[in-house]
Amino acid sequence: MNNRIVYMDYNATTPLHPLVKEFMVRELDTYANASSMHELGRQARSAIEDARAKVGMLIGEDSATNTLIFTSGGSESNNTVFATMFHIGRNNKRNKIITTAIEHPCVLNAAKWLEAEGFPVHFLSVDAYGKIDFNELESVLDDSTLLVSVMTANNEIGTIQDIARVVELAKAKGALVHTDATQAAGKIPVNVKALGVDYATLSCHKIYGPKGIGALYIKKGSPIEPLIRGGHQEYGYRAGTYNNLGILGFGEAARLAKENLQTYQSKMSALRNKLRDGIEQKVPLIHINGHRTDVLPNTLNVSFPGAEGESILLYLDLAGIEVSTGSACASGSLDPSHVLLATGLGPELAHGSIRFSLGMYNTEDDVDYVLNELPPIIERLRSMSTVKAEDIAQTLQGVK
Amino acid sequence: MWEYTDKVKELYTNPKNVGEIPDADVVVEVGSIVCGDALTLYLKLDGDIIVDAKFKTFGCGSAIASSSALTEMIKGKTIEEAAMITNKDIVDFLGGLPEQKMHCSVMGQEALEKAIKKIKGETIEDEHEDEGAVICQCFGVTENVIRRVIRENNLTTVEDVTNYTKAGGACGSCIPKIEDILKEELASVVAQPAAATMKPMSNIKRMQLVEETIHNVIRPVLMRDGGDIDLVDIEGKKVYVALRGHCAQCVVSDVTMKNLVEDTLKEFVENDIEVIEVK
């Protein structure tokens, strides 16, 4: 057994960038409470404001003061937006919420909470590539729409949505717009100013920074209610003593992500395309999920019908290849990925899906290694499967 | 997430008896690809001895391991011996399975049961009648399967039933039916000793029964509504309890006490039990 580890699960989380790590080690002693008036407090405060500016720059907000608040992560940022909608919408005729069927669970479940509280909620469907349908959006948008929340890019299949168009349509009806940019920031250009969104969610651990820290962009003048009440931190929108180290690490990670964006994009898409083309060549009877071009440069989601996702994952893990699956069995739930099902993929294909999400430490050699290890694994699992090759071919006919 | 035992890892890495038996005497299929796991079992017989067993499976690591374990366990056994194997035996063979994966062992047992029925010439047409009504439409789980798995594995909650049979794991619309079945099964477990003891009950026996009834019958019902119950003391036929969680503040808690706790104890323990709430 070899000890080689090829991590291809960067959409789940990323390791610390060595420069972020170095930066954080240097800042370990920035301990003072940034709310304190004394010199050490002021120093901490100034470091935090630097970090805020750096995170703002990543998403095209050059004056992040008052518009960017730090949170504990993407889930908290998203929940803050939905909690705000609860406060605004509960005694208001304008209370319709529109989101998509393929959002992260923290958006889906927050939307379902509002639905249970009596808000009209509409979940937009997506096409076979994971794109929302603007005709559907137009047909449900009306003067009672309070919020439209559409993720910038999907975590499982990487499909990128046209947020500018969402904003254009929503604004025509006077609705607020939120985008969960957790997976998009640092992987593709995101410019909240140019897009004109009211809210955007960011998470630090997806861009080679520490976990437990995220941010919420709030356009100047857009309404916001704190989810966590208490002190006056973060302009009164988010109480709690500053997480100095997390915030400073986030700032540095955001700075590097912006600086490296172009090289990251070209390196990732080259590796991803090599992996995709290689799998298409070497493994018969597969299906690529997600959009072919409007897709995150590092993400590849493939269904291997006839083989079950968790088994593929476990066999790849034995070879040191770390990926994730949309199969039900691996998640502890019994339904396969809600994202893949929403794209109209049948359960036979969804159960056999694998997500490869590449990142900074992956090399061409890693891709070659995967292309070497993967085909015999699929062949072996298919050989012990109850599913026959002709049935697989027939299933694939149905989706292509 | 969960961790598989070394035995499970060993068996999904190198499963035994994978493949088909071309001249098999019996071939049965259970599960379905749509549900995420399926198993085909092939048996070769010599008289009433299973001389060879092979399988094919579409499923996760624990489905592969459970299938491998099953074939190893039944090879060389007589049909009568094999019929005694339960899903628990498969789990023991594997050194345990994560709760969420228990249904893989149940799938193995189902395949075996179906194969034995086929050998004995019981017609497949009877199958549905035999298995009772389908309770979970999503995964095609029948009432009899649910009842058997509850009894054999001492299950007490809907979550357990879902882990073992998948029933209730998708749309959830059958959960009330599963709750009813659970209640009946749990009641019959507790009711048996109560019915058997017609003579005056000893204090110890009464205490035991009160405890069992609260744990198996009353608590699951309260917990469904976010409540809970503590048994504080038993003094003769007076049972002192405290309601917890939602039940404690509930304005209808007096009704809860009378209707649920006392009636249930009267039904399962003795008909002159008195319940007193301790705040």
Side-chain angles (χ1 to χ4, degrees), chain B:
Chain B
M1 285 312 291
W2 51 80
E3 182 71 32
Y4 285 126
T5 63
D6 288 343
K7 186 72 185 171
V8 174
K9 284 184 196 160
E10 180 196 318
L11 287 183
Y12 73 63
T13 316
N14 291 304
K16 310 263 166 58
N17 310 315
V18 179
E20 300 174 13
I21 303 177
D23 58 341
D25 293 294
V26 193
V27 181
V28 289
E29 288 174 41
V30 291
S32 94
I33 314 298
V34 176
C35 299
D37 44 19
L39 167 64
T40 307
L41 182 64
Y42 303 81
L43 300 183
K44 179 82 191 146
L45 302 173
D46 183 1
D48 69 342
I49 294 172
I50 300 169
V51 287
D52 199 7
K54 286 203 154 113
F55 76 93
K56 282 197 154 190
T57 186
F58 170 86
C60 54
S62 55
I64 297 173
S66 294
S67 308
S68 176
L70 172 71
T71 52
E72 283 181 80
M73 288 164 78
I74 58 176
K75 261 194 188 178
K77 286 214 165 61
T78 65
I79 293 160
E80 288 313 312
E81 287 165 347
M84 307 293 284
I85 293 171
T86 68
N87 74 293
K88 267 177 104 171
D89 298 323
I90 297 174
V91 174
D92 290 344
F93 187 93
L94 295 171
L97 270 180
E99 280 297 308
Q100 300 95 322
K101 296 288 181 178
M102 286 299 181
H103 59 85
C104 294
S105 67
V106 173
M107 183 168 75
Q109 186 195 14
E110 262 179 75
L112 177 62
E113 202 177 54
K114 203 168 166 184
I116 291 173
K117 266 189 194 160
K118 228 174 166 180
I119 294 167
K120 289 184 172 170
E122 289 172 29
T123 48
I124 297 298
E125 285 80 60
D126 298 352
E127 188 182 19
H128 270 291
E129 212 171 308
D130 214 356
E131 293 288 306
V134 174
I135 299 293
C136 171
Q137 300 291 342
C138 299
F139 294 108
V141 187
T142 61
E143 182 172 342
N144 288 2
V145 168
I146 294 176
R147 286 189 190 276
R148 190 193 65 220
V149 171
I150 291 173
R151 268 178 241 146
E152 288 181 357
N153 298 281
N154 300 321
L155 306 185
T156 56
T157 67
V158 174
E159 204 186 333
D160 288 344
V161 174
T162 305
N163 284 336
Y164 278 71
T165 67
K166 293 183 153 192
C171 74
S173 66
C174 62
I175 287 174
K177 284 188 203 161
I178 299 175
E179 281 172 345
D180 290 345
I181 293 173
L182 261 173
K183 217 174 153 189
E184 279 175 38
E185 288 297 327
L186 294 170
S188 71
V189 169
V190 185
Q192 277 161 4
T197 42
M198 292 304 284
K199 52 190 171 195
M201 200 177 279
S202 71
N203 272 331
I204 302 225
K205 185 80 203 164
R206 184 180 303 115
M207 284 171 164
Q208 240 176 16
L209 272 179
V210 166
E211 261 192 297
E212 275 176 25
T213 307
I214 288 180
H215 181 260
N216 293 334
V217 185
I218 300 172
R219 176 167 292 141
V221 176
L222 294 177
M223 285 176 83
R224 219 160 56 210
D225 296 325
D228 200 357
I229 185 168
D230 278 346
L231 176 58
V232 179
D233 203 0
I234 303 173
E235 212 176 80
K237 294 188 176 180
K238 286 181 183 163
V239 177
Y240 296 84
V241 298
L243 292 179
R244 304 279 183 236
H246 283 177
C247 299
Q249 294 98 39
C250 181
V251 283
V252 292
S253 83
D254 276 351
V255 182
T256 310
M257 294 299 291
K258 283 291 165 221
N259 284 1
L260 183 78
V261 185
E262 197 167 282
D263 286 359
T264 314
L265 289 176
K266 277 179 174 167
E267 184 182 343
F268 292 124
V269 188
E270 269 171 314
N271 58 11
D272 48 356
I273 289 273
E274 190 186 341
V275 172
I276 295 143
E277 185 181 357
V278 186
K279 293 275 180 185

Side-chain angles (χ1 to χ4, degrees), chain A residues 161-221:
Chain A
Q161 306 292 345
D162 184 352
I163 300 299
R165 180 111 177 90
V166 172
V167 173
E168 190 189 325
L169 295 175
K171 287 295 159 193
K173 298 289 179 189
L176 295 162
V177 181
H178 166 243
T179 188
D180 178 356
T182 299
Q183 289 292 345
K187 296 193 183 102
I188 54 168
V190 175
N191 189 320
V192 290
K193 280 283 186 60
L195 290 171
V197 293
D198 295 278
Y199 313 101
T201 290
L202 300 174
S203 173
C204 172
H205 74 101
K206 309 284 191 195
I207 60 165
Y208 307 95
K211 296 170 200 3
I213 186 81
L216 177 64
Y217 161 79
I218 307 150
K219 188 167 83 180
K220 223 162 243 166

Side-chain angles (χ1 to χ4, degrees), chain A residues 378-396:
Chain A
I378 301 300
E379 200 188 318
R380 182 163 178 220
L381 285 168
R382 280 177 173 169
S383 78
M384 59 167 101
S385 173
T386 53
V387 188
K388 296 183 186 76
E390 55 263 35
D391 295 338
I392 298 173
Q394 207 172 5
T395 310
L396 287 172

